[in-house]
Amino acid sequence: MTDTKLKLENAIIKYGDTVIINDVSLEVHGGEMIFITGANGSGKSTLMRGIAGLIPLSAGKMTRAEKISYVPQIEEADRDFPACVREIVLTGTQRKGKLFYSRNDIERAESFMRELQIDKLANNEIKTLSGGQLRRVFLARALCGEPELLLLDEPCAGLDAESHKILFRVLKKILANDCAVIMVTHDDSDIEGIKDSRIIKISKGKIHD
């Protein structure tokens, strides 16, 4: 078994007095693809934000890989932010205390833009992009951080067939390089895109393999 990228033990997340995630335990290893499914309001996105460290656990324990990238739903993005595609993707290479982009950073960003077929959009402002293009921009940004654990919240919503194919081709590549991927989805066709994946259903804040 490859190394553990995430281990949740009896995790609880509350908003005020309301329990959203209830006693969840989960272990994920390198090269593993996890799909999280469930009805709206079941706690899927809250669980992802908790794993990403954006909201604290109310109880329980979490250990995870040092290098983690999180791609939220695009509804959370500010499309009016005055930046072009290249600038957004390059921010994925930033680390604490780092002030400038190296040649390697720039080459890595350009490589992922080509792989996700957004290189021709490099100088376009993000407000001009379609939903599918914007999702690929955020994925390229996440991959620039060379994550060991990649969290994707509904990355395929609204994608056309070609964008869907591009996304899953890239996911297969990073899985082969020992990255673990956790993806929230509501579409069974996404699950069919990765063989030997693990499907976890979340209902009322609890998960079920």
Side-chain angles (χ1 to χ4, degrees), residues 64-146:
R64 64 179 192 189
E66 181 178 346
K67 294 173 116 180
I68 178 171
S69 290
Y70 168 58
V71 182
Q73 297 181 36
I74 63 167
E75 287 77 8
E76 299 177 38
D78 181 3
R79 282 179 171 271
D80 292 325
F81 187 74
C84 69
V85 167
R86 179 183 287 106
E87 291 167 335
I88 293 295
V89 173
L90 271 169
T91 61
T93 67
Q94 290 181 326
R95 287 287 180 268
K96 187 176 180 180
K98 185 176 178 180
L99 299 178
F100 303 101
Y101 298 122
S102 67
R103 179 176 294 275
N104 183 61
D105 292 337
I106 294 169
E107 289 176 351
R108 191 159 74 248
E110 290 178 347
S111 175
F112 282 121
M113 285 192 291
R114 284 193 301 272
E115 199 159 358
L116 286 160
Q117 296 185 19
I118 53 173
D119 50 309
K120 293 181 180 178
L121 303 172
N123 295 318
N124 291 31
E125 290 192 2
I126 60 170
K127 66 183 178 182
T128 68
L129 304 182
S130 69
Q133 290 167 339
L134 191 57
R135 283 182 172 86
R136 281 187 272 162
V137 169
F138 288 152
L139 179 58
R141 178 186 184 278
L143 294 177
C144 276
E146 300 179 306

Side-chain angles (χ1 to χ4, degrees), residues 171-195:
L171 290 182
K172 288 173 184 176
K173 183 174 180 179
I174 65 171
L175 286 165
N177 289 329
D178 203 42
C179 179
V181 180
I182 304 176
M183 178 192 292
V184 170
T185 184
H186 65 275
D187 191 338
D188 289 344
S189 66
D190 293 342
I191 295 170
E192 294 168 2
I194 303 287
K195 293 182 179 179

